[in-house]
Amino acid sequence: MSLKEKLVSSFLAFELDSDINSPVHDIRSKSIKKFEKIGFPDRKNEFWKYTPIKKVLNEDLTIFKKKRHLIDFEKVKDFFLGGIESYKIILIDGVYDPLWSNTTHEGADICILSSVLEKEKYSEVISKYFNTLIDKNESFSLLNSSFSKEGAYIHIPKNLELDKPVEIIHINSGCESSLMLQPRNLIILEKGSKAQIVESHYSLGEKNSISKGSKANHNDPVTNTLTEIHVEENANLDYYKIQNDLETTSIIDNTYIDQKKNSVASCHTFSFGGNIVRNNLNFYQNGSNINSILKGITILGSNQHTDHHTLVHHASPNCESHQEYKGIYNDKSTGVFNGKVLVDKIAQKINAFQQNNNILIGDHSSVNTKPQLEIFADDVKCSHGCTIGQLDNSALYYLKTRGIPEKEAKGLLTYAFANNVLENVKMQVLKTKIKKIIANKIGVSLGFEL
Amino acid sequence: MLKIENLHVSIEGKEILKGVTLEVKKGEIHAIMGPNGSGKSTLSSVIAGNEDYEVTKGNIFFNDENIEDLSAEERAHKGIFMSFQYPVEIPGITVTNFIKTAINSNLKARGEKDMPANEMLKKIREKASLLEIDSRFLSRSLNEGFSGGEKKRNEIFQMAMLEPTLAILDETDSGLDIDALRIVASGVNKLKNKDNATVVITHYQRLLDHIIPDYVHVLQDGKIVKSGDKNLALQLEERGYDWL
């Protein structure tokens, strides 16, 4: 049985467990039908040309976990931002972990999606926002919608500035072999509200889990995650994704962000590891004076592969978008950047900026980068640029004349190249955490405290 | 301290220096002047260890050691410093973090421990004030968006931090207004002592009003054609290089 067949037949069992009267039952059923029709994409599909996703979609993936696993606090806390208070939604193998989470219903709703989907009092919100943004021809979005049940639900009411950041942490316990998970987040920022959200993915691998007696499993999990974000008028959102996972873990992330007038939304994607990681990040601008910021740092090694497909749909006049993605590729790692900017005829006077810079360190590393601009308005400013190269020799020489040895000088330049993207990160603890990961990935001592 | 013997240097097969001989002793300030294209910057680059240049003949000794095969960083560890005519912009790393890395790299190469953080901070403050550098400047990205004057001041600040025994100042006065020139020159003078030496490379005489050289050499077409004291610079200013 192929994975697709396995998923389709598992859907029946999945819905047996679910409430068939729930408002999302219809969505799930329609989604699985459509998914069954179109299946998984292969590389003949232009959208997936450079990412051999089928490689990780094997029929051995486990759809339903067998049992619940607990993880030692010492292990979990390593994944926290630390140093500041935060709301936390922690999912272990796709299941909510109330022990280490910190949710709220005071002021804002910060909780799990499953509880919201089942409750009558949320039905209005769900019908207004849930599953309204997704690309209904995209396989993984359809698949996620079919199994959409658990994940984060964040609803910030009008004019509230959230007092602390929210952390959404996905942990793969490694206790079960090769799980395929379908986490689903729904985030709503009402008019004039403000929030900062950090979402991260981690796997523990067999030897790290405390579950005794479990045999060493072959573990190549795949997480197919989907996030819908609604940013209403004058609202302000900073979203950060940390993908720093084991080399066996693959992630497919579809994120859809809808912005209304005068809103500002940023999404930083930090891709530091995994087997195959695919990010489809979609911004829709529906209103004037919107600002969308998309930033990314990718640092890979060994045979890792990361693919960033971004879309900014300028559907309204007088808006801005800024994209800046940087990639550092070691060993045989590979990367893709495809930045699509779509400017509707009515979207006059917009300013869309896009930049993708890459450094290839490994002799066998490679990157495919492609700006894709479709502009139907005539009074706009759209700029794009991409570079693929090595470290700047004149900069290297400059550092060496100051007594910094070649290896350290290269490390410092690589750090500087990536670090430059962090300029707009307002959350200091996160900034420091990312800087430390970057320094660690580069693998040389930098000679200063981070 | 520095002894250059019959130095011939080429870049991409083209001979730039055609037999330069020069000796700089500790405590001295030498000025090397010359028209554009005479090989001044080549001379400074080859002393600092730029690998783009090929020494085809002759020797460079630093404290009686032939340094030809040493890398740029090894020369720095031995106490050679070059102030760049065009300092490189490095976004993403602050002036402070850059200098910390440089200091600790040099200490490590000499088998010493990292400088304690408080000592480092104290030294940074002290040297920054010497060059009238604002503390906000220190947390900016290295040379990024700096004015010409800020870049040169930053070079001399690095020199002050690293305390080299031989400093080569390559066209340090270019791009400086008169106030910046005064600050930079006064910094260089304050750093001068009986155990270190300075080589000032310049096209114009004006820097030498502030940094008074013991010797002036004229480099023309890859050779030192004339040497003298500070009065030679004044004569050149008056009569131009054609006079020689």
Side-chain angles (χ1 to χ4, degrees):
Chain A
M1 197 173 7
S2 72
L3 180 64
K4 183 183 132 183
E5 288 162 350
K6 193 168 167 180
L7 284 160
V8 171
S9 57
S10 300
F11 179 74
L12 297 169
F14 173 79
E15 280 296 69
L16 275 183
D17 272 356
S18 305
D19 173 10
I20 54 162
N21 295 316
S22 99
V24 292
H25 174 70
D26 189 43
I27 290 169
R28 288 178 187 147
S29 304
K30 280 181 179 155
S31 300
I32 196 75
K33 271 188 197 126
K34 185 78 188 278
F35 171 74
E36 189 176 9
K37 209 173 132 197
I38 65 174
F40 289 114
D42 58 28
R43 293 176 78 175
K44 281 181 227 148
N45 183 330
E46 184 69 23
F47 198 54
W48 289 90
K49 193 172 172 186
Y50 299 106
T51 297
I53 196 68
K54 282 210 161 168
K55 208 168 80 178
V56 299
L57 299 171
N58 65 64
E59 68 277 9
D60 298 334
L61 286 167
T62 307
I63 313 298
F64 300 115
K65 67 199 292 296
K66 291 179 193 78
K67 57 175 190 175
R68 186 159 191 175
H69 300 280
L70 293 175
I71 296 175
D72 193 359
F73 180 66
E74 286 303 306
K75 297 241 159 43
V76 180
K77 89 173 190 310
D78 287 348
F79 303 140
F80 296 173
L81 277 177
I84 51 163
E85 284 193 25
S86 63
Y87 298 106
K88 292 182 189 73
I89 296 163
I90 298 172
L91 299 156
I92 299 174
D93 297 333
V95 178
Y96 176 60
D97 181 276
L99 212 52
W100 313 123
S101 295
N102 176 22
T103 59
T104 188
H105 290 288
E106 286 169 30
D109 281 310
I110 299 170
C111 59
I112 48 171
L113 186 68
S114 59
S115 68
V116 171
L117 292 176
E118 285 158 16
K119 284 196 183 106
E120 180 58 33
K121 74 173 206 185
Y122 293 104
S123 63
E124 206 177 307
V125 181
I126 293 302
S127 65
K128 186 176 174 191
Y129 292 110
F130 184 73
N131 213 53
T132 54
L133 301 177
I134 77 155
D135 176 352
K136 301 207 165 57
N137 292 306
E138 203 278 312
S139 301
F140 292 95
S141 300
L142 289 166
L143 181 60
N144 181 284
S145 295
S146 311
F147 292 92
S148 55
K149 184 177 178 186
E150 198 56 287
Y153 174 76
I154 300 170
H155 189 168
I156 317 292
K158 207 170 154 181
N159 296 328
L160 179 81
E161 183 172 336
L162 202 61
D163 56 339
K164 44 196 175 199
V166 184
E167 295 186 68
I168 306 169
I169 305 174
H170 304 271
I171 301 170
N172 189 300
S173 71
C175 299
E176 294 199 32
S177 65
S178 305
L179 275 172
M180 185 175 198
L181 299 171
Q182 315 278 352
R184 175 75 168 225
N185 304 319
L186 177 62
I187 296 160
I188 303 150
L189 273 79
E190 298 281 6
K191 286 179 188 175
S193 67
K194 201 172 172 183
Q196 295 183 306
I197 300 168
V198 183
E199 184 178 20
S200 47
H201 294 266
Y202 300 100
S203 300
L204 288 172
E206 312 85 56
K207 64 175 183 291
N208 289 321
S209 79
I210 57 157
S211 165
K212 301 261 167 14
S214 68
K215 275 182 285 176
N217 288 317
H218 153 78
N219 191 22
D220 299 324
V222 175
T223 299
N224 174 34
T225 180
L226 194 152
T227 304
E228 284 182 284
I229 304 175
H230 298 264
V231 185
E232 298 292 346
E233 285 176 35
N234 296 301
N236 190 320
L237 170 74
D238 290 317
Y239 204 90
Y240 303 97
K241 293 171 192 279
I242 306 174
Q243 300 164 338
N244 186 22
D245 216 326
L246 298 180
E247 286 182 21
T248 50
T249 307
S250 295
I251 300 173
I252 300 132
D253 182 320
N254 276 287
T255 297
Y256 297 91
I257 303 180
D258 179 68
Q259 287 184 256
K260 295 294 191 301
K261 73 176 183 187
N262 303 323
S263 66
V264 180
S266 74
C267 183
H268 284 71
T269 307
F270 303 115
S271 304
F272 299 136
N275 180 7
I276 289 183
V277 176
R278 167 67 179 247
N279 291 295
N280 297 331
L281 178 58
N282 307 287
F283 274 78
Y284 305 104
Q285 295 187 334
N286 292 306
S288 55
N289 298 312
I290 290 169
N291 192 2
S292 307
I293 298 147
L294 298 80
K295 302 233 174 190
I297 302 174
T298 305
I299 305 179
L300 301 181
S302 63
N303 286 304
Q304 295 174 331
H305 177 87
T306 292
D307 180 342
H308 296 286
H309 264 65
T310 64
L311 165 70
V312 179
H313 187 166
H314 283 276
S316 305
N318 301 309
C319 293
E320 293 194 18
S321 65
H322 296 269
Q323 298 191 54
E324 188 184 8
Y325 277 75
K326 291 203 176 184
I328 296 163
Y329 299 90
N330 294 288
D331 310 322
K332 293 178 180 170
S333 62
T334 49
V336 178
F337 176 80
N338 188 104
K340 183 170 173 179
V341 176
L342 179 59
V343 184
D344 287 356
K345 201 172 176 183
I346 62 153
Q348 300 290 2
K349 308 262 184 215
I350 61 111
N351 181 8
F353 172 83
Q354 182 186 95
Q355 185 76 32
N356 173 233
N357 303 106
N358 302 287
I359 293 181
L360 299 182
I361 293 173
D363 287 342
H364 299 282
S365 61
S366 68
V367 65
N368 284 289
T369 174
K370 183 174 130 193
Q372 189 184 347
L373 276 61
E374 294 177 17
I375 304 166
F376 298 97
D378 53 15
D379 185 14
V380 299
K381 195 174 158 191
C382 292
S383 54
H384 65 88
C386 49
T387 60
I388 303 176
Q390 274 83 36
L391 293 168
D392 177 7
N393 269 330
S394 59
L396 197 58
Y397 169 62
Y398 184 67
L399 265 56
K400 286 166 74 174
T401 64
R402 299 309 183 240
I404 303 171
E406 175 135 352
K407 190 178 159 219
E408 281 74 14
K410 282 183 172 169
L412 194 60
L413 287 178
T414 311
Y415 170 81
F417 172 79
N419 186 40
N420 205 28
V421 176
L422 297 175
E423 253 173 31
N424 298 333
V425 175
K426 289 166 221 133
M427 211 189 303
Q428 203 54 46
V429 284
L430 177 71
K431 209 170 180 170
T432 307
K433 187 184 171 97
I434 299 298
K435 283 182 179 188
K436 282 184 176 159
I437 297 174
I438 294 172
N440 188 23
K441 288 275 161 193
I442 291 163
V444 293
S445 135
L446 292 170
F448 50 86
E449 287 290 310
L450 289 167
Chain B
M1 177 186 292
L2 177 72
K3 209 169 183 180
I4 297 172
E5 294 174 348
N6 190 28
L7 190 69
H8 291 251
V9 174
S10 298
I11 183 163
E12 290 164 359
K14 188 174 178 240
E15 190 169 59
I16 310 282
L17 296 184
K18 301 166 182 172
V20 171
T21 297
L22 176 72
E23 186 171 6
V24 178
K25 296 199 178 79
K26 65 179 189 178
E28 293 178 349
I29 298 179
H30 288 242
I32 295 174
M33 302 183 71
N36 287 332
S38 58
K40 300 191 298 294
S41 284
T42 300
L43 182 61
S44 58
S45 295
V46 86
I47 300 169
N50 189 333
E51 286 162 20
D52 292 343
Y53 295 91
E54 193 195 348
V55 175
T56 53
K57 204 172 165 188
N59 295 304
I60 308 174
F61 292 96
F62 184 67
N63 292 330
D64 300 321
E65 181 189 0
N66 190 331
I67 59 169
E68 197 195 320
D69 293 332
L70 298 186
S71 64
E73 63 266 35
E74 287 167 321
R75 295 182 199 206
H77 300 155
K78 294 197 180 295
I80 297 175
F81 176 89
M82 181 168 95
S83 165
F84 279 56
Q85 182 178 3
Y86 302 110
V88 183
E89 296 193 9
I90 306 180
I93 174 111
T94 63
V95 174
T96 304
N97 282 341
F98 172 66
I99 202 66
K100 281 181 184 169
T101 305
I103 294 261
N104 286 331
S105 295
N106 281 289
L107 288 171
K108 195 176 169 192
R110 291 168 197 151
E112 293 170 42
K113 281 198 196 112
D114 279 4
M115 188 181 282
N118 55 349
E119 203 179 307
M120 181 80 79
L121 191 65
K122 198 173 152 234
K123 187 167 180 175
I124 288 172
R125 280 191 189 143
E126 186 188 309
K127 303 299 182 190
S129 81
L130 180 76
L131 288 149
E132 300 179 29
I133 287 173
D134 185 358
S135 63
R136 273 172 302 178
F137 174 90
L138 298 169
S139 51
R140 284 170 61 186
S141 274
L142 186 63
N143 292 322
E144 192 195 21
F146 285 16
S147 69
E150 286 173 328
K151 281 183 180 168
K152 295 300 168 70
R153 248 193 279 178
N154 183 31
E155 291 292 287
I156 306 304
F157 166 69
Q158 291 174 35
M159 173 181 153
M161 290 296 296
L162 292 165
E163 299 175 279
T165 45
L166 174 68
I168 303 153
L169 312 182
D170 188 6
E171 303 277 6
T172 292
D173 53 333
S174 71
L176 292 189
D177 60 34
I178 195 71
D179 289 332
L181 183 72
R182 180 187 53 76
I183 295 165
V184 164
S186 121
V188 172
N189 288 329
K190 281 178 193 153
L191 296 169
K192 192 76 207 59
N193 63 42
K194 64 178 174 36
D195 292 317
N196 63 22
T198 310
V199 176
V200 181
I201 290 173
T202 182
H203 190 81
Y204 301 106
Q205 193 271 335
R206 65 169 192 166
L207 181 63
L208 306 179
D209 286 340
H210 301 271
I211 303 172
I212 314 287
D214 299 302
Y215 299 95
V216 174
H217 311 277
V218 181
L219 193 64
Q220 216 166 15
D221 193 26
K223 280 181 191 162
I224 289 178
V225 294
K226 197 169 177 67
S227 295
D229 63 10
K230 62 181 179 185
N231 293 315
L232 178 57
L234 294 168
Q235 279 176 294
L236 283 170
E237 180 76 2
E238 228 170 85
R239 301 162 78 170
Y241 290 107
D242 296 339
W243 153 73
L244 290 166

